[in-house]
């Protein structure tokens, strides 16, 4: 069962973004599987820390988590529907019965008057004849990979009625909207219902970033792979592909994989792979000697062209 995200990172709930980043980097370094081979507890903790950082480093997702807790992280969660339901049920009197006038006034203010009126048979029934139902808005939060590949989510409006299945198209981006016809507020006197308008929110990924239809990835490689130009495996939306590194690759050098980015309708982006040379984390005589041997040929000219 998931714990508290702030506790996972060891920071207070009012921690700044910088404090959250520092705590994550420290824990991620300590708990990384490369430093704890075979340690299942460290691996579980590492995943929890990574999950906590992905959520708390995103301003909008952190705000939702602070307001709704773990519930806000479930697929298909609708913040607007949750707030509307909370407002509606907050009209309960001390003896546990709902105050009908408060309930209907809340529904009216939130744009749900038609829906709540039909549900409870109260005074919020139609005042105008033959009026199409109002559109309802909702947010849905999905994983980065689901947005790239497309997915189906289920939404339940105001915690009543049958769930609505919604198809999020391949290549959806944060802030995109999906209109689901006929799932808004009911119409009046025989008129049709409004639509449900969903705003897609995408959780950040721990390794990939999106730039339009292009994807960006920092790829860790060894000194030997960089020097010799090895063939390495790179994850893409369509599965792993083999990437041939140029000989003598430099840290920060970018290699473009054509057509391995985001697919959206009839367009496809690229995957931009930035190679990042990873040095040994533990010192040894052998490592020192190897580093000296690599450094000696360029030691007198490595910064020769550096100018202001």
């Amino acid at each position: 069962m998931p714990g508290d995200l702030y506790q996972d990172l060891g920071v207070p709930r009012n921690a700044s973004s910088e404090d959250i980043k520092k705590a994550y980097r420290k824990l991620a370094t300590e708990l990384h599987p490369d430093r704890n081979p075979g340690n299942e507890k460290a691996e579980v903790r590492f995943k929890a820390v990574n999950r906590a950082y992905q959520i708390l480093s995103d301003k909008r997702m952190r705000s939702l988590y602070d307001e709704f807790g773990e519930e806000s992280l479930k697929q298909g969660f609708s913040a607007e529907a949750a707030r509307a339901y909370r407002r509606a049920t907050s009209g309960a009197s001390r003896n546990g019965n709902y105050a009908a006038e408060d309930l209907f006034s809340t529904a009216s203010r939130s744009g749900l008057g038609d829906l709540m009126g039909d549900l409870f048979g109260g005074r919020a029934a139609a005042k105008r004849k033959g009026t199409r139902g109002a559109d309802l808005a909702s947010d849905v939060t999905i994983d980065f990979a689901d947005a790239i590949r497309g997915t189906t989510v289920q939404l339940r409006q105001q915690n009543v009625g049958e769930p609505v299945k919604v198809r999020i198209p391949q290549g959806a981006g944060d802030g995109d909207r999906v209109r689901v016809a006929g799932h808004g507020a009911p119409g009046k006197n025989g008129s049709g219902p409004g639509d449900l308008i969903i705003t897609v929110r995408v959780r950040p990924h721990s390794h990939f970033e999106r730039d339009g239809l292009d994807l960006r990835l920092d790829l860790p490689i060894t000194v030997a792979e960089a020097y010799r130009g090895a063939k390495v495996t790179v994850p893409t939306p369509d599965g792993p592909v083999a990437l041939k590194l140029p000989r003598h690759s430099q840290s920060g050098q970018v290699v473009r994989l054509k057509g391995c980015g985001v697919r959206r309708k009839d367009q496809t982006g690229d995957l931009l792979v930035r190679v990042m040379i990873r040095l040994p984390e533990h010192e040894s005589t052998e490592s020192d000697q190897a580093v000296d041997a690599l450094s000696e040929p360029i030691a007198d000219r490595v910064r020769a062209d550096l100018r202001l």
Side-chain angles (χ1 to χ4, degrees):
M1 181 176 180
D4 182 83
L5 299 184
Y6 292 97
Q7 291 180 7
D8 287 339
L9 287 178
V11 296
R13 299 190 76 83
N14 61 351
S16 67
S17 298
E18 188 61 29
D19 289 338
I20 288 174
K21 184 183 295 185
K22 288 179 180 178
Y24 167 72
R25 286 178 175 173
K26 180 176 182 293
L27 290 171
T29 300
E30 293 175 357
L31 299 168
H32 196 280
D34 290 346
R35 301 188 66 175
N36 300 272
N39 188 333
E40 293 185 3
K41 289 185 178 180
E43 183 178 354
V44 171
R45 183 93 172 86
F46 177 77
K47 290 180 179 179
V49 166
N50 191 54
R51 176 177 182 267
Y53 178 69
Q54 288 185 44
I55 295 164
L56 297 183
S57 62
D58 183 280
K59 186 179 295 186
R60 189 194 62 81
M61 291 180 64
R62 181 181 179 182
S63 176
L64 287 176
Y65 179 77
D66 288 344
E67 184 176 358
F68 299 104
E70 193 71 26
E71 189 71 21
S72 67
L73 308 179
K74 293 182 179 179
Q75 190 179 62
F77 173 77
S78 168
E80 183 166 332
R83 292 189 186 105
Y85 183 74
R86 186 163 58 190
R87 288 194 298 268
T89 56
S90 65
S93 63
R94 290 183 181 178
N95 62 8
N97 295 322
Y98 293 112
E101 292 185 6
D102 290 345
L103 180 60
F104 292 124
S105 64
T106 299
S108 177
R109 289 196 304 271
S110 63
L112 304 172
D114 297 338
L115 177 60
M116 302 301 284
D118 287 346
L119 289 172
F120 293 95
R123 295 186 301 219
K127 293 182 180 179
R128 300 190 301 272
K129 295 182 179 180
T131 303
R132 176 183 178 274
D135 291 340
L136 297 179
S138 180
D139 286 1
V140 61
T141 301
I142 61 176
D143 289 335
F144 188 92
D146 286 337
I148 299 299
R149 298 187 177 104
T151 188
T152 298
V153 298
Q154 288 195 56
L155 295 176
R156 184 186 295 276
Q157 289 299 303
Q158 287 77 55
N159 289 346
V160 297
E162 293 298 320
V164 179
K165 282 190 175 182
V166 180
R167 177 64 186 171
I168 306 298
Q170 183 183 42
D174 191 83
D176 283 355
R177 292 186 175 184
V178 178
R179 181 181 290 271
V180 185
H183 286 280
K188 301 172 183 177
N189 291 348
S191 292
D195 298 336
L196 175 62
I197 302 173
I198 296 171
T199 300
V200 178
R201 299 301 179 187
V202 182
R203 296 186 183 96
H205 197 278
S206 55
H207 300 294
F208 285 89
E209 290 185 2
R210 181 170 174 174
D211 182 6
L213 294 181
D214 291 337
L215 292 175
R216 296 183 182 275
L217 170 68
D218 284 351
L219 180 71
I221 62 173
T222 67
V223 174
E225 288 172 333
Y227 185 76
R228 298 190 179 103
K231 183 179 289 186
V232 297
T233 301
V234 178
T236 77
D238 294 326
V241 301
L243 169 64
K244 182 65 171 71
L245 297 173
R247 288 177 62 84
H248 307 158
S249 293
Q250 302 294 322
S251 193
Q253 185 173 341
V254 176
V255 181
R256 182 183 293 269
L257 287 174
K258 284 281 189 181
C260 291
V262 180
R263 285 184 180 155
R264 186 173 175 124
K265 296 182 179 178
D266 58 348
Q267 294 181 305
T268 305
D270 301 331
L271 174 58
L272 305 177
V273 180
R274 183 171 66 169
V275 297
M276 305 297 290
I277 298 174
R278 180 72 61 82
L279 296 174
E281 297 181 355
H282 304 289
E283 295 186 9
S284 67
T285 302
E286 292 78 7
S287 294
D288 288 342
Q289 292 173 347
V291 169
D292 289 340
L294 284 171
S295 301
E296 187 175 351
I298 60 171
D300 59 343
R301 54 188 171 83
V302 68
R303 288 179 289 276
D305 297 330
L306 194 61
R307 297 285 189 277
L308 178 60

